[in-house]
Amino acid sequence: MENRTIQVAILGLGTVGFGTYKVLCAQREEMLPKLGVQIEVKKILVRNVAKAAAKTGHPELITNDWQEILQDDSIGIVIELMGGIEPARTYIEEALRAGKHVVTANKDLIASDHGRLLDLAKEHGCDLMFEAAVAGAIPVIAPLKQSLAANHLSEVMGIVNGTTNFILTKMAQQGMEFSDALALATELGYAEADPTADIEGLDAARKVAILASIAFNSRVSVEQVATEGITKITANDIRYAHEMGCCIKLIGMAHGGDAGVEAYVAPMLIPLDHPLAAVNDSYNAVFVRGDAVDNAMFLGRGAGELPTASAVVGDVFEVVRNVVHGCCGRISCTCYKQLPVVPMENVKSRYFLRVRVEDKIGVLAMVADVFARHQVSVEQIIQKQKDGDSVEIVVITERVRGGDFQKAVHCIEVKQNVRAVESVIRVYGDAE
Ligand code: NAP
Ligand code: HSE
């Protein structure tokens, strides 16, 4: 290769952008022996030029003019780390149309548009890589597309949001209520100023859409991922879970079966002997089941400056290797099937239910009867502590259809002598 330098541009110099700049600088001495070429950051696009110039100490690299990067034919790779949908989408499309390869960590955009963007990349003979968009530092996209490609996968489930895992860990280990654990996550910088996307499960849903699409070779959009966050989980739920030998985790689930793909995000009771139960604090993990590999789990940092940059720069190196060997666009969109996404009423699950009722003869029997009439098979039904003239009834069901269970719960809710359904949480159990 005559020109032994590949020029790149970084769009955005925030947490991940600056981390990526630092990791590329730290790898400078290793690039030639590792890759056969040198990677040079030619431009960094930001809004606030002065701030970025001071941050890097290299004002000549900084611009606020996208055209300066787009029209520079010497820039071969664009690393998009601005976030959000626009202008990121437009810049990525324009870069691909100009024959520039793209690496991005943008889960919002990839979750909503990855099929179309991958098709565009293919049309222009470019690579589009997004390892950092799911579970930050943890290699999971490349393993699913490459190392595990010889499997029929049946399940990809994960803890893919660090903020909520931190909150649930503090609730479990220190008996905190949700609001106190969220306040601590904010104080320590885990939770964003507006934590809604994390605590309501939307951030995890974006990652599930991407994971499910890749795992089952069939496009799943974020709108098809049923999403429930952790705001209703109480310290009391966690204590009950512990009594049952479980913890509570926010699980992103992608399950493949005869009826299609099941894709959802929900808090779930996980048996303490499951590998995901040991994943605490802000760590992420993705657990995979396949017909050949059996079980495998990927664990690590799901966010943060250098961990996320590790995945971004790993993708940049992969693109550079492809450029050096003249084989870009090797692994494009892998969605060659069109599987239905199973409606949630048909998804089967075990459930944990806590209901407060008046302490009267026949109430326990009434609850059991409603479940029986809705084809909900009960595994355990226990009357717990008395509080004045009310008692708590705890029910664990067998694996039942979501629709049947919800109808039974609505029926119980409106019964005389029922004060409140206090919690409904899925219980993880191997699918039949
Ligand atoms: P961030 O700290 O908010 O940084 C965003 C950067 O982009 C800032 O430098 C900002 O410049 C620049 N920017 C935003 N809009 C721009 C525009 N229109 N034109 C030019 N520059 C613009 O964000 P981040 O946390 O690094 O996240 C970046 C991406 O990585 C997002 O897609 C995010 O979802 C993804 N991600 C982040 C993490 C993480 O740990 N943070 C983990 C995985 C994935 P100014 O400062 O000049 O405004
Ligand atoms: N907000 C995310 C989390 C990190 O808490 O895991 C970026 O994906």
Side-chain angles (χ1 to χ4, degrees), residues 31-303:
M31 287 171 184
L32 263 179
K34 265 185 195 171
L35 308 167
V37 289
Q38 197 64 33
I39 300 170
E40 199 174 278
V41 177
K42 180 130 187 232
K43 283 288 163 198
I44 301 174
L45 181 79
V46 293
R47 285 180 294 211
N48 186 331
V49 170
K51 190 172 80 180
K55 219 167 165 181
T56 56
H58 287 283
E60 74 284 2
L61 298 181
I62 312 300
T63 179
N64 56 10
D65 180 4
W66 162 239
Q67 292 303 323
E68 211 183 306
I69 293 167
L70 182 64
Q71 286 168 19
D72 184 339
D73 291 337
S74 72
I75 294 176
I77 304 173
V78 167
I79 309 169
E80 187 281 304
L81 303 170
M82 302 185 299
I85 301 293
E86 284 296 350
R89 182 191 349 235
T90 301
Y91 292 178
I92 289 177
E93 288 176 355
E94 288 179 350
L96 293 171
R97 288 200 179 95
K100 299 181 195 301
H101 308 286
V102 174
V103 172
T104 179
N106 194 328
K107 54 193 175 271
D108 308 31
L109 183 59
I110 292 298
S112 68
D113 235 3
H114 89 283
R116 209 179 52 78
L117 291 173
L118 279 168
D119 290 346
L120 186 65
K122 191 174 181 185
E123 198 183 311
H124 293 276
C126 292
D127 278 333
L128 169 64
M129 306 244 178
F130 46 86
E131 184 64 68
V134 178
I138 308 175
V140 59
I141 307 285
L144 286 176
K145 284 200 174 199
Q146 299 175 54
S147 331
L148 296 170
N151 284 267
H152 293 103
L153 298 178
S154 54
E155 192 165 86
V156 176
M157 65 184 277
I159 295 170
V160 289
N161 183 269
T163 306
T164 46
N165 202 33
F166 177 83
I167 291 171
L168 290 171
T169 302
K170 290 297 155 200
M171 289 174 75
Q173 291 179 350
Q174 294 177 22
M176 285 183 174
E177 279 301 345
F178 170 77
S179 54
D180 297 327
L182 172 59
L184 181 64
T186 308
E187 187 188 317
L188 296 178
Y190 289 112
E192 305 200 10
D194 177 0
T196 313
D198 291 324
I199 61 179
E200 297 293 357
L202 181 60
D203 176 74
R206 293 181 183 126
K207 295 164 184 169
V208 168
I210 301 170
L211 284 176
S213 302
I214 294 170
F216 300 109
N217 305 107
S218 180
R219 210 157 287 161
V220 175
S221 73
V222 68
E223 294 76 24
Q224 290 172 306
V225 180
T227 303
E228 188 188 326
I230 61 162
T231 53
K232 291 187 198 143
I233 301 294
T234 64
N236 216 9
D237 292 324
I238 290 179
R239 273 191 295 276
Y240 274 123
H242 210 255
E243 267 181 38
M244 294 168 54
C246 293
C247 60
I248 298 180
K249 298 288 183 191
L250 183 68
I251 296 295
M253 174 66 83
H255 183 86
D258 294 340
V261 178
E262 296 173 5
Y264 57 91
V265 174
M268 211 178 268
L269 271 77
I270 302 287
L272 290 174
D273 60 2
H274 190 285
L276 284 173
V279 179
N280 284 322
D281 298 310
S282 64
Y283 276 90
N284 282 200
V286 177
F287 182 83
V288 174
R289 267 182 214 280
D291 57 353
V293 69
D294 193 14
N295 297 335
M297 190 166 94
F298 304 83
L299 165 76
R301 291 275 174 208

Side-chain angles (χ1 to χ4, degrees), residues 15 20 27 66 69 104 126 154 219 239 260 292 303 312 320 350 352 359 373 413 422:
T15 306
T20 297
Q27 284 288 313
W66 162 239
I69 293 167
T104 179
C126 292
S154 54
R219 210 157 287 161
R239 273 191 295 276
V312 172
V320 165
R350 289 170 72 214
F352 162 91
D359 187 15
R373 281 190 292 108
E413 247 166 355
E422 293 183 328

